[in-house]
């Protein structure tokens, strides 16, 4: 056993590996057409997946029917058959009120090594869906490892309520800065320096300043990269004038 005062984080068994699964252009099957299926469809479409819904038309709720009518998903108007897994399927999400049928689909997916999630059956899931807060590129997921989905939603709302406004916009701007930095300093060996410099920008600039950052600010910031310096927001906006502003001991600032 490691000493209790170890400088390393303690191991807490029983959790899940929380990852951001990239499914853009992947083929995902959603079996079912009710409320749970509708939620699964939203999650996968938001992740730019190619979604096929397998369900008799009589089992579609209004939201799923809307997705089909708008050609956001492909619809197969019948119940699931094993041959549905033959078409280069990357993931299967089952949301039908039939435990026996769900288990059979789970077993088929296991045989073919296709990751699957069987709604409301944690033991038949390769992964769980959590409660997600979304603000542009920002995604925060709360998972209870299948123990309490409603409680996860309550926790997620509490976290979202505590976030400062403009967080998503600030992240978008930092992403633009990172992409532009790669264009001007894209050498493979520059990776650690780029990451360190971007991290320092996020520490020096406030969230409000990152929200205000525009293309001109990005270009001005990049001029400091080669010297490995991080200017303040004021230095970027004022340029040389910022260096001439000094405190003279009075109630204000003088040049």
């Amino acid at each position: 056993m490691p000493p209790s005062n170890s400088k390393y984080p303690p191991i807490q068994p029983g959790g899940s590996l929380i990852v951001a699964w990239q499914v853009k252009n992947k083929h995902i099957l959603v079996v079912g057409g009710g409320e749970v299926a509708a939620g699964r469809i939203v999650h996968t479409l938001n992740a730019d997946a190619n979604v096929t819904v397998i369900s008799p038309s009589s089992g579609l709720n209004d939201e799923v029917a809307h997705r089909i009518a708008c050609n956001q998903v492909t619809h197969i108007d019948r119940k699931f058959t094993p041959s549905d897994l033959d078409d280069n399927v990357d993931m299967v999400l089952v949301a039908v009120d039939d435990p026996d049928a769900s288990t059979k689909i789970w077993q088929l997916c296991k045989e073919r090594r296709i990751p699957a999630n069987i709604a409301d059956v944690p033991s038949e899931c390769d992964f769980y869906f959590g409660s997600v807060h979304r603000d542009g590129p920002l995604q925060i997921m709360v998972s209870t490892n299948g123990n309490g989905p409603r409680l996860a939603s309550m926790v997620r709302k509490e976290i979202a309520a505590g976030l400062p406004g403009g967080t998503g916009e600030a992240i978008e701007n930092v992403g633009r800065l990172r992409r532009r930095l790669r264009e001007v300093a894209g050498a493979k060996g520059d990776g650690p320096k780029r990451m360190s410099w971007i991290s320092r920008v996020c520490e020096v600039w406030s969230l409000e300043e990152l929200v205000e950052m525009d293309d001109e600010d990005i270009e001005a910031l990049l001029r400091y990269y080669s010297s490995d310096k991080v200017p303040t927001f004021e230095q970027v906006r004022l340029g040389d004038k910022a260096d001439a502003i000094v405190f003279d001991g009075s109630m204000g600032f003088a040049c």
Side-chain angles (χ1 to χ4, degrees):
M1 295 289 290
S4 59
N5 62 346
S6 173
K7 65 180 179 180
Y8 304 113
I11 303 302
Q12 302 180 57
S16 297
L17 180 63
I18 304 296
V19 298
W21 201 332
Q22 300 299 301
V23 295
K24 183 176 181 178
N25 298 325
K26 299 291 186 181
H27 184 197
I28 296 180
L29 289 186
V30 176
V31 182
E35 180 180 355
V36 175
R40 300 293 194 252
I41 290 169
V42 169
H43 281 304
T44 50
L45 290 179
N46 282 343
D48 300 320
N50 297 322
V51 182
T52 297
V53 176
I54 302 176
S55 172
S57 294
S58 59
L60 303 177
N61 75 358
D62 291 343
E63 182 177 350
V64 177
H66 168 76
R67 305 293 177 194
I68 295 169
C70 293
N71 295 316
Q72 295 176 337
V73 300
T74 300
H75 179 218
I76 299 177
D77 188 4
R78 56 168 172 76
K79 292 186 177 181
F80 172 90
T81 64
S83 62
D84 290 323
L85 299 179
D86 295 339
D87 189 20
N88 297 317
V89 175
D90 296 297
M91 181 184 293
V92 175
L93 310 176
V94 182
V96 296
D97 190 18
D98 186 334
D100 292 336
S102 295
T103 296
K104 289 178 181 177
I105 297 173
W106 164 252
Q107 292 170 343
L108 288 169
C109 290
K110 289 290 92 186
E111 292 172 3
R112 302 187 185 210
R113 297 185 178 181
I114 301 173
N117 173 280
I118 312 302
D120 203 30
V121 188
S123 62
E124 296 182 352
C125 292
D126 289 306
F127 54 91
Y128 303 127
F129 282 87
S131 183
V132 178
H133 169 73
R134 179 76 183 273
D135 180 5
L138 175 64
Q139 291 180 267
I140 300 174
M141 188 187 86
V142 177
S143 172
T144 61
N145 284 308
N147 288 291
R150 294 297 180 185
L151 185 58
S153 178
M154 294 170 60
V155 174
R156 183 259 304 167
K157 290 177 181 177
E158 288 291 329
I159 293 173
L163 292 174
T167 304
E169 188 175 356
I171 293 172
E172 287 180 349
N173 288 340
V174 171
R176 287 165 51 222
L177 175 62
R178 288 186 63 186
R179 290 189 292 273
R180 185 72 183 97
L181 178 58
R182 279 185 172 275
E183 293 175 1
V184 301
K188 291 183 179 179
D190 285 345
K193 179 182 177 182
R194 285 197 304 267
M195 292 299 295
S196 174
W197 189 78
I198 289 290
S199 295
R200 286 157 53 208
V201 170
C202 293
E203 293 169 359
V204 172
W205 287 40
S206 69
L207 183 67
E208 291 76 13
E209 290 168 347
L210 291 172
V211 169
E212 288 190 38
M213 184 169 62
D214 57 24
D215 290 338
E216 290 185 4
D217 296 330
I218 289 175
E219 295 305 317
L221 259 172
L222 292 174
R223 289 195 286 271
Y224 289 83
Y225 174 74
S226 61
S227 63
D228 200 30
K229 295 180 179 179
V230 175
T232 64
F233 179 77
E234 289 77 12
Q235 287 173 318
V236 166
R237 283 290 172 96
L238 297 177
D240 295 337
K241 294 179 181 179
D243 296 329
I245 298 177
V246 295
F247 183 55
D248 66 355
S250 64
M251 294 301 294
F253 287 86
C255 296

